[in-house]
Structure formats: structure tokens, C-alpha cells
Amino acid sequence: MSDEVIVVGGGVIGLTTALTLAERGLRVRVWSRAPVTGTTSAVAGALWWPYRIEPAAEVGDWSLESLRVYEKLSADPVATGVRVVPGVHADVALADLGDWAREVSGLRQLAGPEVPGPSGTGLAARLPLIDMPVHLEWLRGRLEAAGGVVERRAVTGFAEAARSARVVVDCAGLGARELVPDAGLRPVRGQLVLVENPGIEEWFTAADAASSETTYFFPQPGRMILGGTAQEGDERLDPDPATAAEIVARCARIRPEIADARVLGHRVGLRPARVGGVRIAAEPLPSGGRLVHNYGHGGAGVTVAWGCARRAADLVCA
């Protein structure tokens, strides 16, 4: 057993946590079952916004910490994949948001005629929009520059990692359902369609948290991401053609030019939602070491990544 820290999970939560630890001077290895660009995080849209995540009392602080980081990273969008982009959240009222919204500059309530589509209200904003494949590679590169290592390795249990390190950090996402085990974890299936961008520069969302259907489009370099779904308990990883057609049709009702955009591909990811919300906690390992959990981020892992990473790192270093 060494004084290294092993982080299990190579998505945005795992890489951000590992990087935070490495930049605090710890020796860190990431064990990831898939390449970083093959993780669930790589499928994400990914717009900064607290969406489908609990507990509300802590999400605001985690989100704002992450927002400040992304705002700085947006100064070099080609390298980091982070841009600040204008857009509209339909069916959102500023008065219904938590205290965190007061700390987000530029939020503006819209009247009905200003909102695209049939919505009667909405919110204009300029928010970080992250090109996830680029961002994940940037995180890995910065981690390696700080002395960290990313290894392709499937993990069958935390005891396996504990034989090599005194501290193990669980950033396994949905995989924590079996590894912990945690029966409160459940998949929320998200299906996306990638199309050529027909010239749209602003993002749009209409996402009812009580519905399995959402409507959004995010302009990313070289493509536009159309969404989406939020199908709880559905673990299908293959794209459904009928669902894809419905996604395109919903987005085209907001911007008709999307209907004729050439389809580039399809993506499916399983968001790791958890009853009770995000779990950031420490417990002893039978080997005498420590296991720190950081999982259950639902549909907002990107939004809270840095805030949660710092909380988990505090537990590692305690």
C-alpha cells in the first residue's frame, strides 16, 4: 500500500477531483473503465445549470464555485472547451430559483413574446457551454502535468484499489450502484442527436423536471447537439430511431431550420441520479485506509464538478 490516492472513475467528476488533489500536492492515479472521451460525461450537452440534482441546500454553492472556474477557463476556449454563450431557458422564472441565482450575472426575465416557441415566460442568460470531449482531454492533460496518471482499468471492488493506496475516492457515477453498493442510484437515460449547425449561435432549453421529454439545442464547435430525454430507470444504450425523430421535431418547432440539418450521429448516456442526492462522505476501509465518496450528481455533474471536487478533496486531506 502506498501513500497515493486512487480515484475510481474517469468522467468529469473523477478527473476534476483527481486534478484538485494533484494540485494540492498529492500523488494521484485515476482508474477508469473507459477512455475519458468514452465516459458518460463525454455525451453531456453540457450547459452550466443546476438541473435534476439534489440536495438543494448545497447545490447552489457547488454550482457557483464551478461557475467561477468555468468563467476563467472560457478565456481559452480552444484549449479548455469552455465558452460563455447566450441563450434562453423557457418556462423558467427568476423568482422561482434559489439564492444562488442572485450570484449569476446577466440573468434577465423575459416576457412571453421574447421567448422562442409557445412558452409564456423564460429567462435570458449567458452561461458556460462546455465541449465535453475537448474539456475532458484538457482535464486529463492538466492532471498529467500536475503529476497525476490516468489508467484504463475496470474495478470490481474498492478493496482492489485499497490494496494499492491508503485513500480511495469513489467517483464511479452509476457504477457506484454495484461497487458501494448503493440501491438508491438509478439511471436517467438521455438521448441526443448531433446535427450540422444551420447557423444558430444561441442555446435553448425547455426542460420540465417532471417530464421524460425535454427540448434543447446547444451549438458546439463543428456540430449542434439536440435533446433530449430524461427516462428514469431506462438502461438502454442504443439510440432509438423514433425518439431521435421526436427530438429533431421538438427542436424544429423552436427553430424550423433544424428540421433540414444533416444528422451527424446519435448519443446515449445514463445520468447517475440518486435518492437523497449527491453523496460526498468518507468512511474507513477494512484495510485501515479511507474511502471518500463523490457520486450521484444526476444531470448536473458538469455544473457542480469543481465545487464537489473541493469538498471531496477536503475529506481526503482531513
Side-chain angles (χ1 to χ4, degrees):
M1 184 187 298
S2 74
D3 59 356
E4 286 184 316
V5 177
I6 291 179
V7 176
V8 177
V12 68
I13 297 297
L15 290 178
T16 306
T17 302
L19 175 55
T20 300
L21 291 168
E23 292 188 341
R24 290 190 184 187
L26 280 72
R27 295 194 301 137
V28 183
R29 280 190 287 160
V30 175
W31 286 2
S32 181
R33 180 177 53 189
V36 297
T37 53
T39 61
T40 298
S41 297
V43 178
L47 180 73
W48 180 93
W49 192 255
Y51 169 71
R52 286 182 176 258
I53 184 169
E54 297 288 342
E58 297 178 271
V59 164
D61 288 342
W62 297 337
S63 299
L64 290 172
E65 283 188 60
S66 304
L67 174 63
R68 304 308 174 216
V69 175
Y70 292 133
E71 288 173 337
K72 292 178 181 178
L73 294 181
S74 69
D76 189 3
V78 174
T80 66
V82 182
R83 297 172 296 133
V84 175
V85 179
V88 172
H89 283 302
D91 298 320
V92 175
L94 189 56
D96 294 337
L97 300 178
D99 291 343
W100 58 267
R102 299 192 188 99
E103 305 297 322
V104 181
S105 62
L107 295 183
R108 180 173 65 88
Q109 194 68 56
L110 299 176
E114 298 179 275
V115 183
S119 301
T121 188
L123 195 64
R126 289 180 56 87
L127 301 174
L129 182 61
I130 298 105
D131 186 346
M132 287 308 294
V134 173
H135 187 61
L136 292 168
E137 289 287 10
W138 177 82
L139 284 170
R140 182 175 68 174
R142 182 164 157 180
L143 172 62
E144 292 173 345
V149 177
V150 178
E151 302 175 357
R152 287 282 305 280
R153 182 163 178 170
V155 179
T156 57
F158 294 123
E160 178 184 351
R163 287 193 288 270
S164 300
R166 292 189 180 277
V167 180
V168 179
V169 185
D170 165 21
C171 298
L174 191 60
R177 180 175 53 178
E178 288 75 37
L179 289 172
V180 173
D182 187 338
L185 272 166
R186 63 188 189 279
V188 178
R189 182 179 183 271
Q191 181 168 330
L192 308 173
V193 182
L194 278 56
V195 302
E196 285 187 345
N197 190 338
I200 296 170
E201 297 182 353
E202 297 190 356
W203 52 265
F204 173 88
T205 77
D208 181 350
S211 174
S212 63
E213 294 183 351
T214 58
T215 301
Y216 57 82
F217 46 83
F218 300 137
Q220 294 283 16
R223 67 202 187 284
M224 173 165 277
I225 297 175
L226 311 180
T229 64
Q231 299 162 310
E232 293 196 18
D234 190 336
E235 301 198 35
R236 293 174 298 147
L237 288 173
D238 292 331
D240 177 70
T243 299
E246 292 165 1
I247 288 171
V248 173
R250 289 199 300 273
C251 292
R253 283 195 283 271
I254 307 301
R255 293 293 296 261
E257 60 268 46
I258 289 174
D260 297 322
R262 185 169 71 91
V263 174
L264 302 175
H266 303 269
R267 300 288 185 272
V268 174
L270 303 180
R271 304 177 184 97
R274 179 176 181 268
V275 176
V278 177
R279 183 185 184 195
I280 301 178
E283 61 179 284
L285 286 163
S287 60
R290 180 183 301 167
L291 174 62
V292 175
H293 299 286
N294 182 13
Y295 67 87
H297 302 83
V302 173
T303 298
V304 299
W306 290 93
C308 289
R310 290 167 180 174
R311 299 303 186 280
D314 289 344
L315 293 178
V316 170
C317 298

